[in-house]
């Protein structure tokens, strides 16, 4: 299995275009910018799947050599997209894929619904994507409903199993029912080697389902949006605490890592208020965890 970490920042990226906070200013001057959270994964190194489609997708794809099309063709190694949520920072990049001659998108039922109504990227893509050779007709993307606990067989000997992480809706979908699988993680397993990776960039709390997913995994990429629950309020003067925003702070997930030793743990989806984006503190290193960086390649086993 190969994983290319395409982006590691939360919505807005680092620096965020309209932010002059200390972290964004340091990123502007120090060059340690981060693009928005996105991953590419492959079982055989030939068929690749995106997990989420960030607003920075075009630049991210161009920076990943394994995602280049075969010379002289439009034969892309990209076979499809799996979504962990319907959040804009995970879905705006779908529009960037509109030139695709075929596009498969995997999403849970509420996310799939939201992406056809509240944020109608599905119908929009249908006008551009999947053109036949004459260009006369577009078939649109091929949408598949993801159900937690029901594995999906992907090309290249890769299996993806979603696990439920809660009902936090995107703000644009606030009028839609708040039950159901708005947020999921994925457990990827490679046939043959049994290599296993877990990706959970949005985590409101550490649940038994997550415990089950990380058991026996080789690598786990986790929600690192905020370093502490109070970070956002302290930095912005607002009242919002991270748990209510669907993000378990790193400080509060570290003790769970100690309970579940074994996997290589990396934090991703870092908000631009998060000091971990610039410097990994000793308590993270002491827990055996890392902060992921854009472009990181993970090869398993
Ligand atoms: C989130 O991760 O909580 C969302 O992407 C926030 C947002 O940008 O609206
Ligand atoms: Mn986000
Ligand atoms: Zn900032």
């Amino acid at each position: 299995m190969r994983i290319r970490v395409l982006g590691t920042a939360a919505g807005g990226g680092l620096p965020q275009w309209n932010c002059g906070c200390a972290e964004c200013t340091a990123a502007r001057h120090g060059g340690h910018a981060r693009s928005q959270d996105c991953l590419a994964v492959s079982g055989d190194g030939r068929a690749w799947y995106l997990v989420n489609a960030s607003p920075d997708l075009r630049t991210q794809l161009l920076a990943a050599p394994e995602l280049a099309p075969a010379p002289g063709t439009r034969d892309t190694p990209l076979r499809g997209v799996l979504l962990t949520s319907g959040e804009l920072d995970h879905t705006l990049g779908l529009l960037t894929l509109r030139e695709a001659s075929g596009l498969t998108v995997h999403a849970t039922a509420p996310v799939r619904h939201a992406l056809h109504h509240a944020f109608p990227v599905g119908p929009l893509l249908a006008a551009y994507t999947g053109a036949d050779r004459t260009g006369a007709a577009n078939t649109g993307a091929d949408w598949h409903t993801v159900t937690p606990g029901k594995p999906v067989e992907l090309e290249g000997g890769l299996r993806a199993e979603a696990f439920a992480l809660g009902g936090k809706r995107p703000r644009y979908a606030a009028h839609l029912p708040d039950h159901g699988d708005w947020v999921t993680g994925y457990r990827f397993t490679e046939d043959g080697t049994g290599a296993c990776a877990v990706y959970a960039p949005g985590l409101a709390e550490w649940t038994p389902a997550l415990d089950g997913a990380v058991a026996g995994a080789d690598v786990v990429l986790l929600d690192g949006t905020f370093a502490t629950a109070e970070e956002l309020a302290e930095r912005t003067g607002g009242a919002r605490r991270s748990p209510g925003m669907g993000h378990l702070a790193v400080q509060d997930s570290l003790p769970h890592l100690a309970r579940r030793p074994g996997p290589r743990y990396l934090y991703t989806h870092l908000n631009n208020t998060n000091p971990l984006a610039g410097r990994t503190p000793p308590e993270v290193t002491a827990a055996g965890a890392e902060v992921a960086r854009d472009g990181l390649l993970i090869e398993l086993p």
Side-chain angles (χ1 to χ4, degrees), residues 13-16 18-25 28 272-273:
L14 178 74
Q16 182 170 300
N18 62 346
C19 191
C21 79
E23 277 72 25
C24 288
T25 303
R28 254 182 211 102
N272 49 56
T273 51

Side-chain angles (χ1 to χ4, degrees), residues 1 3 187-190 193-198 213-221 262-266 290 298-301:
M1 186 186 305
I3 297 165
R187 187 178 209 267
F188 294 98
T189 317
E190 186 192 339
T193 66
C196 176
V198 170
V214 306
D218 298 296
V219 58
V220 177
L221 289 130
R264 175 182 179 192
Y265 286 101
L266 298 116
E290 302 161 55
I298 299 170
E299 294 182 87
L300 303 174

Side-chain angles (χ1 to χ4, degrees), residues 159-186:
R159 187 178 322 122
E161 183 171 338
F163 53 94
L165 284 174
K168 190 213 155 205
R169 294 156 300 179
R171 282 193 258 174
Y172 69 78
H175 59 291
L176 294 174
D178 67 352
H179 51 81
D181 297 311
W182 281 102
V183 186
T184 59
Y186 287 98

Side-chain angles (χ1 to χ4, degrees), residues 146-271:
V146 167
T147 307
K150 274 179 110 178
V152 186
E153 300 294 337
L154 302 171
E155 279 183 53
L158 191 66
R159 187 178 322 122
E161 183 171 338
F163 53 94
L165 284 174
K168 190 213 155 205
R169 294 156 300 179
R171 282 193 258 174
Y172 69 78
H175 59 291
L176 294 174
D178 67 352
H179 51 81
D181 297 311
W182 281 102
V183 186
T184 59
Y186 287 98
R187 187 178 209 267
F188 294 98
T189 317
E190 186 192 339
D191 296 345
T193 66
C196 176
V198 170
Y199 179 52
L203 197 66
E205 53 177 334
W206 196 287
T207 61
L210 181 60
D211 257 341
V214 306
D218 298 296
V219 58
V220 177
L221 289 130
L222 275 184
D223 187 343
T225 310
F226 301 112
T228 66
E230 281 71 34
E231 173 187 311
L232 192 64
E234 285 170 5
R235 300 286 168 130
T236 63
R240 294 200 294 177
R241 294 183 78 252
S242 71
M245 296 182 64
H247 298 292
L248 183 68
V250 170
Q251 188 181 55
D252 300 319
S253 66
L254 282 174
H256 295 281
L257 275 43
R259 280 193 310 109
R260 284 281 178 200
R264 175 182 179 192
Y265 286 101
L266 298 116
Y267 285 103
T268 188
H269 192 273
L270 278 79
N271 197 50

